[in-house]
Amino acid sequence: MAKTASEELIFHKKAFQEALLRWYHTHARVLPWRIEPTLYKTVLSEFMLQQTQIKTALPYFHRWVDELPTFEALSKATPEKVLKLWEGLGYYTRARNIHKLAKALVAMPQIPKTPEAWLELPGVGPYTTAAITSISFKEPLACVDGNVVRILSRLTANSREFTDSATASKYFAPLGQALVNTDNPGDHNQAMMELGATVCHRRSPECLLCPVKNFCKGTKENPENFPKLTQKKIEKKEIYRIWCIKDGNILLHKATAKAKRLSGIHELPTQDQVGISESDLKASDLIVKKVRTITRFQMVESIYRLSRVKKKLKPDLVWVPLNKLSTVILSGPHKRWIEELA
DNA sequence: AACACGGGGTC
DNA sequence: GACCCAGTGTT
């Protein structure tokens, strides 16, 4: 009976783990959460690195640890303080979740150490549970993120199609788990992800530098064929926004606490938030057209200059002094646009 | 399983 | 423009 690619790999597990770990111990990047790691730094880095690349998260991580160095400090911080430190990183639910998590931990008699307990905490899913418990508590649980899916699909030359990354992670979880080095699961997990980030790139992987190329079926064909993810179609949206400055104040929209997204975040108001007709708007100055893509939406945002607006505005519209913009929380793109246009 | 999330980077 | 990134939560 011929072995499957997964069985073959698992058969050579020990040699695979040793080659991977040897490589990691000489090639791991020096990152702030790897220097004198603590549970707090590990948790914070994992939250920041959800859907965000290391290079982007790095300055935020330093600022955050300076301002809120412990779970205790974080648990006592105001929501505004927390959101301000996250300003520009996007996916603001993560900031609200780690804030809730800190409050929950501080209220507990002791820090939970089991995967089951961590999975219950806000913003902690299967990946983050595995990352935190393996790194901080030596729990032998495999992290299966985008990097690991890419590595496992290439190692086994698996060309199964997936509709989304969550489905792919679920599919590869058993193989990932079978390969975990139970002596050092934290470094094993980090090594897998480090390999994906620095060698086994999505495009042009550097197989010649790979410590586990001898275990890899994918390198013998075209590794870029794996994994196979079906594309989603991009939906286009057109948004009209208002640029209105009066007596040194700029008109902004603040999403209410109940808002599904961007709760507490300020942005340039849209045409309908200000209550102006589309024809009136198009009769005014078009300042600039901005395009950005987020998840499956491409947004084209046209910003129009308005010299005046109605006296009576809805309460979520606020006038903010241009020299006091640092006191409110802006989404990253809007912050940059305002700096650019003001 | 599909989608929302409303940011950023790379080729 | 397509696709990815140390994903989670909701439906």
Side-chain angles (χ1 to χ4, degrees):
Chain A
M1 191 67 164
K3 280 199 180 70
T4 65
S6 290
E7 287 166 347
E8 183 70 24
L9 184 56
I10 294 167
F11 184 75
H12 297 290
K13 168 165 82 172
K14 197 76 201 164
F16 172 84
Q17 292 171 344
E18 282 170 3
L20 179 67
L21 226 49
R22 250 197 315 276
W23 170 84
Y24 181 68
H25 288 146
T26 51
H27 292 80
R29 289 168 291 180
V30 177
L31 298 170
W33 46 89
R34 288 181 180 161
I35 304 168
E36 300 179 42
T38 62
L39 177 63
Y40 182 67
K41 285 195 270 186
T42 300
V43 171
L44 177 59
S45 66
E46 292 305 339
F47 269 73
M48 285 190 172
L49 295 177
Q50 289 171 5
Q51 296 301 92
T52 301
Q53 295 186 184
I54 287 178
K55 193 166 61 168
T56 309
L58 230 31
Y60 288 87
F61 184 88
H62 284 120
R63 257 198 305 277
W64 188 293
V65 173
D66 281 348
E67 299 271 334
L68 303 172
T70 60
F71 283 117
E72 179 78 27
L74 173 54
S75 72
K76 290 178 179 161
T78 63
E80 292 73 26
K81 169 90 176 172
V82 170
L83 224 43
K84 190 70 191 172
L85 282 167
W86 206 271
E87 181 181 69
L89 254 187
Y91 296 107
Y92 298 93
T93 307
R94 295 182 291 170
R96 287 186 277 273
N97 280 340
I98 196 173
H99 195 195
K100 282 190 218 162
L101 184 147
K103 290 180 176 178
L105 282 190
V106 166
M108 288 176 176
Q110 71 247 323
I111 299 292
K113 298 195 171 173
T114 66
E116 295 74 24
W118 277 90
L119 196 51
E120 293 300 308
L121 291 165
V124 181
Y127 163 77
T128 307
T129 294
I132 292 170
T133 60
S134 68
I135 294 170
S136 297
F137 309 122
K138 286 202 161 211
E139 180 71 29
L141 196 56
C143 289
V144 187
D145 72 333
N147 287 309
V148 177
V149 165
R150 195 167 56 254
I151 292 170
L152 295 178
S153 66
R154 286 176 178 174
L155 281 168
T156 56
N158 190 319
S159 47
R160 176 182 286 255
E161 285 191 45
F162 302 100
T163 52
D164 60 81
S165 58
T167 312
S169 295
K170 221 177 277 180
Y171 176 85
F172 283 109
L175 176 56
Q177 188 56 39
L179 294 174
V180 170
N181 185 334
T182 54
D183 292 330
N184 194 345
D187 281 356
H188 173 88
N189 280 331
Q190 294 194 75
M192 289 287 277
M193 297 188 281
E194 191 81 353
L195 186 63
T198 64
V199 175
C200 197
H201 315 286
R202 180 167 62 93
R203 277 192 286 255
S204 308
E206 302 175 81
C207 298
L208 291 174
L209 302 179
C210 179
V212 294
K213 59 176 175 295
N214 293 342
F215 303 89
C216 185
K217 276 188 77 179
T219 189
K220 294 174 183 162
E221 25 192 310
N222 185 358
E224 290 189 1
N225 292 343
F226 318 103
K228 207 165 169 67
L229 290 159
T230 55
Q231 70 187 85
K232 329 181 195 16
K233 47 210 166 268
I234 297 288
E235 197 176 311
K236 298 195 175 179
K237 287 194 177 188
E238 187 137 30
I239 300 171
Y240 302 109
R241 294 198 184 269
I242 308 297
W243 177 268
C244 184
I245 293 181
K246 207 176 68 182
D247 307 328
N249 299 316
I250 186 168
L251 187 65
L252 295 176
H253 175 263
K254 180 183 183 184
T256 64
K258 292 197 169 169
K260 202 164 63 179
R261 45 195 188 207
L262 296 180
S263 153
I265 309 275
H266 297 253
E267 291 197 324
L268 291 172
T270 60
Q271 168 219 332
D272 44 304
Q273 284 162 353
V274 176
I276 179 171
S277 74
E278 202 168 314
S279 53
D280 281 353
L281 188 74
K282 290 194 169 164
S284 59
D285 277 353
L286 172 60
I287 304 176
V288 70
K289 242 182 187 184
K290 296 288 186 183
V291 182
R292 57 174 167 151
T293 312
I294 176 70
T295 57
R296 46 180 277 271
F297 300 104
Q298 180 177 78
M299 299 187 288
V300 180
E301 304 183 60
S302 304
I303 304 176
Y304 287 87
R305 185 191 309 282
L306 229 56
S307 49
R308 64 167 125 207
V309 291
K310 287 188 291 188
K311 278 248 166 65
K312 234 173 132 51
L313 292 167
K314 289 196 276 183
D316 48 357
L317 291 173
V318 291
W319 292 100
V320 178
L322 278 170
N323 58 9
K324 294 213 168 124
L325 278 172
S326 61
T327 62
V328 298
I329 302 144
L330 289 153
S331 74
H334 284 245
K335 185 178 172 143
R336 288 193 301 276
W337 298 346
I338 292 169
E339 280 165 3
E340 174 188 327
L341 297 172

